[in-house]
Amino acid sequence: SLMKNLKIFVLILTLLSSHHVHALETLGMSIKQIKTKDWQLNELSLSLFDLQQSSQQLSLHINQLALPEPFSDIKIFDIQCSQFSWQDNEIDCKTGQAKLKSDIISLAPFNFSFSLTEQKSGFNINNLKLAKGILSVTAKEEGKDWLVSVKTKNLSLRDLHRYISKQSVFLDEVNSGNINAEIKASGGGKGLDSLIIHSLFKNISLQAKQGAIASEGITAEWQLQAKQVKGLWHWQNSHFIQKGELYIEPVYLKVNKKGLTLKASGVWSDDEGLQLTQAQFVDPDIIELTSAGLIDFQPALNVEQLHITSKVNDLESFTAQYILPFTQQTVFDGFNLKGRVKFDLNMEQSRITELSADLVNLSVSDEKHRFAITNAKGGLNWSTSPSFNEASEINWEQIKVRAIPIEAGQLKFLYKNKQIRLLESSSIPILGGYLDIKQFTWQNTKGDEPKVYFEGGINQLSLEKLSYALDWTPLSGNISGYIPGVSYQDKTLTIEGELVAQLFDGTIKINHLSSSGLLSDFSKFSMDMKIDKLDLYQITQKFEMGGMEGRVSGFINNLYMENWQPITFYAWLGTPEHDNSRHRISQKAVENIASIGGGGAADVISKGFLRFFDTFSYDRLGFGCYLHQGVCQLMGVEAAEQGYYIIKGGGLPRIDIVGYNPQVDWNVLMERLSRISSTEEVVIK
């Protein structure tokens, strides 16, 4: 044994010393190998120097020291012990030097000491110079238990990366940064049982995973505590980033003065894998989030049970940093949020089962002008439970769908499972009038396509504001009507039944109205319209086209629009059959109507005796258009020798208006109409 060999060597030294062997300067003894427990000392030599001096010097040299697990990779060699002692079953190297070599690094000599007995052992590495910093290690072993403590000071991450770059492919590039750390690990015969890490990273600038992760000037604290109990690891992890810039694809963060906190805890085992039980994320002044539950990461991500509480104090900053990077090139690209929100969320088996949210001054804007909301407030409650009956309520200052503004309003509804149902009827201001909502339901189907039903009415909606919002040729008047039912299914909006509006002392009926892609970049719209006995006098009083008397009826069939621009339709407007109203038309109206169809009636008036009359009598009028591929095929009440009659004269003084252009470009026709239209207000009763 080691102690037996040492005692023999000491005995020899004593005998030689007592016989005054002055011819010798040095005595030495070599031992090839000493094993004790899992330690192994190879090629030992024990020497006594200066035998002729009054005081001799005893030195121990060990060529190599092999350590037990978990240090088997570390090889300490060329150990020089200038001060050591031994007693029964114990040897101590109190003051020594050694060199260290492992599979990754080879370092210059450092201060080293160790103690070795039959029951316990340990070693110390002091002030080892590593990566422009200092490393100290203390290790102890007693019975089957062991403890290791590691301290580092000002380790250069860049230099350390050079040492380990061949063994690690995680970091692509390290530009700067230092690490201070204290690590404590303990275990037994079966390996590691406890691990504590407390570290400080200063001014870290690096890049990893081919740019997917990067940092610039990051200063952060990291703490990890892990303990094994009956094969199950219980761990707690904490990060506090004090300053710097961080990019984790696709999220970029510039940490403010208050820092960024991320905490998590959970369990881990070989059989069950990693499980998260608690987590906290705090970005001061922006978001505070805490969660408790159980999340499995192996064999696949599964949320067994989870409760999340979050308070978003600045939605604008939150969406800019954490949401918008994920919505680029999606349907949500371009949306921006402002305000505050607080919500609670429950999940089971990776599905959300309950949600409640409080909204404060919520505003949504859209760079593509599809949807916007201003200053919304209220509470949203939702659950998958069939018995859930907690109402939700929201109010707002304004909502905008495309260019159509919806003024301040309020809705109270029940939101559960895949259904929304309006609880109270509501009257919402829109385009100078009101949208009265009697019923509203929203049902999500198996194919994730919603099915929507609406019943209500429109009261005094301004056509002038509607045409302005949709960038149409300006119209005037108000419209009111009852909507028996509107449904939305398969991404298509359809009005059930007939929409009836009383307008200009006549009636307008809309059928087969449908629209799709309302919030997309390619909206579609189609409908049929019947026009019955509108009063021309009321209409022309509100337009600068000149005065007219009589009635008009007509239709717009198969109207189809894309992005609110007409693509095709067949339209007619003219004197109804058996109309016994007075038929009169002013000079100005004659001139304007003639300009639409390219007629020459205006020249006849200016050159002939008709110029002395302010108004004229007519029998019938009519004007039609079939739009196809951007060209309008024009028609009148009947054919003329050349062209077609737009107005067929009758009575005295009479006048005919003939159109000579059978076809006209749609944009040109719209330009002609815009020149004779008025923006004066029309009041419809």
Side-chain angles (χ1 to χ4, degrees):
S1 69
L2 171 63
M3 298 308 158
K4 184 177 180 181
N5 290 331
L6 289 174
K7 288 180 179 179
I8 294 173
F9 182 69
V10 172
L11 178 60
I12 293 172
L13 293 179
T14 303
L15 292 173
L16 292 173
S17 176
S18 62
H19 286 80
H20 307 287
V21 186
H22 299 294
L24 297 176
E25 292 289 336
T26 303
L27 285 175
M29 176 182 179
S30 297
I31 302 173
K32 185 175 182 181
Q33 189 178 80
I34 295 177
K35 290 184 178 181
T36 174
K37 300 180 65 179
D38 295 325
W39 293 59
Q40 183 173 306
L41 288 72
N42 298 322
E43 299 181 12
L44 291 80
S45 62
L46 189 62
S47 303
L48 184 65
F49 297 93
D50 300 329
L51 294 180
Q52 296 184 7
Q53 305 298 323
S54 57
S55 61
Q56 293 81 33
Q57 182 177 353
L58 194 60
S59 175
L60 174 66
H61 176 264
I62 303 172
N63 188 52
Q64 186 185 63
L65 173 62
L67 301 172
E69 293 288 349
F71 315 107
S72 56
D73 177 61
I74 301 175
K75 304 293 188 297
I76 300 176
F77 65 99
D78 197 16
I79 303 171
Q80 299 284 351
C81 293
S82 58
Q83 292 186 16
F84 70 94
S85 64
W86 68 86
Q87 298 176 0
D88 289 343
N89 298 322
E90 181 179 352
I91 181 172
D92 287 323
C93 176
K94 298 178 180 179
T95 303
Q97 279 197 337
K99 297 179 181 179
L100 184 144
K101 183 178 182 181
S102 73
D103 292 340
I104 24 181
I105 52 177
S106 180
L107 301 170
F110 54 88
N111 296 332
F112 179 75
S113 62
F114 73 89
S115 174
L116 184 61
T117 70
E118 296 293 340
Q119 299 297 323
K120 60 182 180 179
S121 55
F123 69 87
N124 292 284
I125 297 175
N126 296 316
N127 299 323
L128 186 153
K129 294 182 179 180
L130 172 66
K132 297 181 180 178
I134 295 175
L135 172 71
S136 298
V137 181
T138 298
K140 297 179 181 180
E141 181 187 28
E142 184 172 359
K144 295 183 179 181
D145 299 325
W146 55 268
L147 174 66
V148 178
S149 177
V150 179
K151 292 183 179 181
T152 69
K153 185 176 181 180
N154 294 330
L155 292 188
S156 168
L157 183 60
R158 183 176 182 179
D159 287 76
L160 193 61
H161 177 245
R162 292 173 181 172
Y163 294 138
I164 63 176
S165 58
K166 294 181 180 180
Q167 283 70 30
S168 173
V169 294
F170 177 74
L171 292 177
D172 302 327
E173 181 181 345
V174 178
N175 297 318
S176 66
N178 295 325
I179 305 173
N180 292 344
E182 184 174 354
I183 304 172
K184 292 184 179 180
S186 62
K190 295 183 180 180
L192 182 68
D193 288 332
S194 176
L195 178 65
I196 299 174
I197 300 175
H198 185 191
S199 57
L200 176 63
F201 297 83
K202 298 179 180 179
N203 195 32
I204 302 295
S205 298
L206 55 80
Q207 180 175 295
K209 292 188 175 182
Q210 298 180 341
I213 298 176
S215 70
E216 186 69 33
I218 285 288
T219 295
E221 293 183 54
W222 173 43
Q223 295 186 53
L224 173 65
Q225 294 184 11
K227 189 173 183 179
Q228 183 180 205
V229 179
K230 296 181 180 180
L232 190 65
W233 280 94
H234 298 262
W235 56 270
Q236 294 180 335
N237 192 23
S238 175
H239 297 267
F240 177 67
I241 303 177
Q242 297 178 4
K243 63 178 182 179
E245 299 172 74
L246 182 64
Y247 177 74
I248 303 176
E249 191 176 26
V251 176
Y252 166 77
L253 297 174
K254 187 172 183 180
V255 182
N256 59 31
K257 296 180 180 180
K258 295 184 179 181
L260 198 70
T261 300
L262 176 62
K263 295 181 179 180
S265 61
V267 294
W268 178 86
S269 68
D270 290 332
D271 297 332
E272 301 294 332
L274 182 65
Q275 294 180 329
L276 181 68
T277 55
Q278 288 186 328
Q280 181 186 44
F281 177 74
V282 179
D283 190 346
D285 301 327
I286 298 179
I287 181 174
E288 301 173 21
L289 184 147
T290 60
S291 70
L294 186 59
I295 303 176
D296 294 324
F297 291 88
Q298 293 178 354
L301 178 64
N302 178 47
V303 180
E304 292 189 18
Q305 188 276 327
L306 185 67
H307 177 74
I308 298 176
T309 299
S310 181
K311 185 178 180 182
V312 182
N313 301 309
D314 185 348
L315 267 173
E316 183 176 16
S317 298
F318 174 74
T319 53
Q321 292 191 175
Y322 301 104
I323 302 299
L324 293 183
F326 296 97
T327 60
Q328 293 180 356
Q329 298 181 348
T330 70
V331 68
F332 300 105
D333 189 16
F335 282 99
N336 299 290
L337 282 72
K338 292 183 180 181
R340 304 193 305 274
V341 61
K342 180 181 179 182
F343 69 85
D344 288 272
L345 181 148
N346 287 326
M347 294 184 69
E348 292 182 6
Q349 301 304 316
S350 298
R351 298 184 65 183
I352 300 175
T353 57
E354 275 188 292
L355 172 68
S356 64
D358 294 325
L359 309 177
V360 180
N361 298 328
L362 172 66
S363 294
V364 180
S365 61
D366 177 20
E367 296 173 1
K368 300 180 181 179
H369 308 291
R370 293 164 294 181
F371 176 81
I373 187 168
T374 303
N375 199 21
K377 301 177 183 179
L380 176 67
N381 302 293
W382 174 84
S383 174
T384 58
S385 173
S387 61
F388 181 77
N389 61 359
E390 189 172 353
S392 298
E393 188 170 345
I394 184 172
N395 60 76
W396 63 89
E397 286 186 2
Q398 188 185 72
I399 296 176
K400 213 167 190 180
V401 180
R402 286 294 180 180
I404 299 177
I406 302 172
E407 303 306 327
Q410 178 176 320
L411 292 173
K412 187 175 182 180
F413 54 94
L414 181 65
Y415 186 21
K416 68 177 181 179
N417 203 5
K418 297 181 179 180
Q419 184 184 55
I420 299 175
R421 178 169 58 87
L422 189 68
L423 296 177
E424 297 178 355
S425 60
S426 181
S427 184
I428 300 173
I430 178 172
L431 296 173
Y434 290 91
L435 173 64
D436 295 321
I437 306 175
K438 302 298 182 183
Q439 292 186 38
F440 178 85
T441 59
W442 180 94
Q443 178 72 51
N444 200 15
T445 61
K446 292 183 179 179
D448 290 330
E449 282 291 334
K451 185 177 181 180
V452 183
Y453 178 79
F454 166 87
E455 180 181 342
I458 297 174
N459 184 21
Q460 297 294 306
L461 185 146
S462 169
L463 286 174
E464 179 183 349
K465 293 182 178 180
L466 178 63
S467 58
Y468 176 79
L470 299 180
D471 196 25
W472 289 350
T473 299
L475 301 175
S476 297
N478 295 328
I479 183 171
S480 299
Y482 180 69
I483 304 173
V486 177
S487 63
Y488 180 84
Q489 192 170 1
D490 297 328
K491 297 182 180 180
T492 300
L493 179 71
T494 304
I495 290 186
E496 301 173 1
E498 189 174 61
L499 175 62
V500 180
Q502 302 300 322
L503 188 68
F504 298 121
D505 198 33
T507 303
I508 293 179
K509 298 179 180 180
I510 297 175
N511 293 278
H512 309 124
L513 189 151
S514 66
S515 180
S516 61
L518 287 174
L519 297 179
S520 70
D521 292 330
F522 189 67
S523 59
K524 300 178 182 179
F525 179 87
S526 63
M527 73 168 186
D528 294 330
M529 179 186 293
K530 293 181 181 180
I531 303 168
D532 187 28
K533 298 179 180 178
L534 271 61
D535 186 349
L536 274 174
Y537 180 78
Q538 292 187 30
I539 296 174
T540 57
Q541 287 299 300
K542 304 302 178 182
F543 290 84
E544 293 180 354
M545 64 177 295
M548 297 180 69
E549 295 180 61
R551 297 264 176 180
V552 289
S553 296
F555 57 83
I556 302 176
N557 289 341
N558 302 318
L559 171 64
Y560 173 67
M561 306 176 72
E562 292 179 354
N563 288 334
W564 305 107
Q565 296 299 319
I567 302 299
T568 185
F569 63 80
Y570 176 41
W572 171 260
L573 191 66
T575 303
E577 294 290 336
H578 310 296
D579 178 34
N580 56 8
S581 63
R582 187 183 185 211
H583 295 175
R584 303 292 291 182
I585 182 170
S586 70
Q587 281 198 27
K588 184 175 182 180
V590 169
E591 294 171 356
N592 284 322
I593 292 175
S595 69
I596 295 175
D603 291 337
V604 174
I605 293 174
S606 63
K607 296 177 181 179
F609 76 95
L610 293 178
R611 69 180 183 275
F612 298 108
F613 295 92
D614 294 326
T615 63
F616 306 94
S617 175
Y618 70 90
D619 180 36
R620 289 181 299 154
L621 65 82
F623 185 76
C625 167
Y626 171 62
L627 178 64
H628 180 66
Q629 294 184 349
V631 176
C632 198
Q633 178 71 44
L634 302 179
M635 62 199 76
V637 291
E638 64 178 70
E641 290 185 11
Q642 293 182 354
Y644 49 89
Y645 286 103
I646 299 176
I647 291 183
K648 183 73 172 176
L652 293 174
R654 61 172 288 167
I655 189 168
D656 296 326
I657 299 180
V658 178
Y660 296 114
N661 297 331
Q663 293 182 337
V664 63
D665 182 271
W666 172 254
N667 293 326
V668 172
L669 181 60
M670 288 296 98
E671 183 181 352
R672 291 175 182 175
L673 289 173
S674 67
R675 287 200 298 263
I676 64 173
S677 64
S678 170
T679 58
E680 294 181 21
E681 183 180 1
V682 179
V683 179
I684 307 301
K685 297 183 179 179

